[in-house]
Amino acid sequence: MSIERTLSIIKPDGVKRNLVGQILSRFEKAGLKIVATKMIYMSRREAEGFYAVHSARPFFGELCDFMCSGPVVVTCLEGQDAINKNRELMGATNPAQAAEGTIRKDFSLSIGENTVHGSDAVETAKVEIAYFFAETELVN
Ligand code: ADP
Ligand code: MG
């Protein structure tokens, strides 16, 4: 285990339902540090680029529409084993299969509107953080 950085996104359903504070608080309580955070409106193009790996999936259009349907909160988290720790806090993609006490189990509405995004590996985390934050925006 090493100190890692990961990208979290609180998706439009989470922001709309006033869950930003509660979700960021879960990260902090788990020992993850916020090294950058901001609220943005993702453009359709940004959403398509961010989820490019899923472009052939049947839900791609719906996913991109959803991600730019309202503001999102993008956050860079840092800590011991941050990538897996964040994925554990999030729970399974489908909230119906998410473990008790996870963000998706507690808050998510459906497999599409599942409240949070989290990077899944060191390489993707690097790309995803750089997608939204300049190096100078990340606190050391
Ligand atoms: P995760 O966000 O857990 O890493 P994926 O990378 O597999 O999950 O999928 C990216 C996002 O696409 C999911 O978080 C969810 O919003 C959406 N998604 C995934 N599978 C489906 C599906 N079967 N139907 C609708 N939306 C989906
Ligand atoms: Mg994913």
Side-chain angles (χ1 to χ4, degrees), residues 51 54 87 93 117-120 128:
Y51 280 119
H54 295 305
R87 298 284 309 186
T93 307
H117 166 83
S119 309
D120 61 10
E128 291 180 359

Side-chain angles (χ1 to χ4, degrees), residues 7-10 20 24 27-28 34-40 72-77 132-133 137-139:
L7 185 83
S8 158
I9 304 177
I10 303 177
V20 174
L24 293 182
F27 298 147
E28 292 189 324
I34 295 169
V35 296
T37 191
K38 59 188 172 188
M39 186 176 286
I40 61 163
V72 300
V73 172
V74 289
T75 301
C76 178
L77 298 169
F132 293 109
F133 294 104
E137 290 179 290
L138 304 167
V139 170

Side-chain angles (χ1 to χ4, degrees), residues 11 51 54 57 59 62-63 66 87 90-93 104 111-114 116-118 120:
K11 298 184 179 185
Y51 280 119
H54 295 305
R57 309 286 286 279
F59 57 80
E62 180 193 325
L63 174 61
F66 169 58
R87 298 284 309 186
M90 288 164 57
T93 307
R104 284 166 166 171
I111 190 169
E113 303 204 6
N114 60 1
V116 278
H117 166 83
D120 61 10

Side-chain angles (χ1 to χ4, degrees), residues 14-43:
V15 175
K16 251 174 224 149
R17 291 180 293 140
N18 274 5
L19 298 172
V20 174
Q22 288 185 68
I23 292 171
L24 293 182
S25 171
R26 288 188 184 208
F27 298 147
E28 292 189 324
K29 282 179 183 149
L32 295 172
K33 279 210 175 317
I34 295 169
V35 296
T37 191
K38 59 188 172 188
M39 186 176 286
I40 61 163
Y41 274 94
M42 227 186 266
S43 69

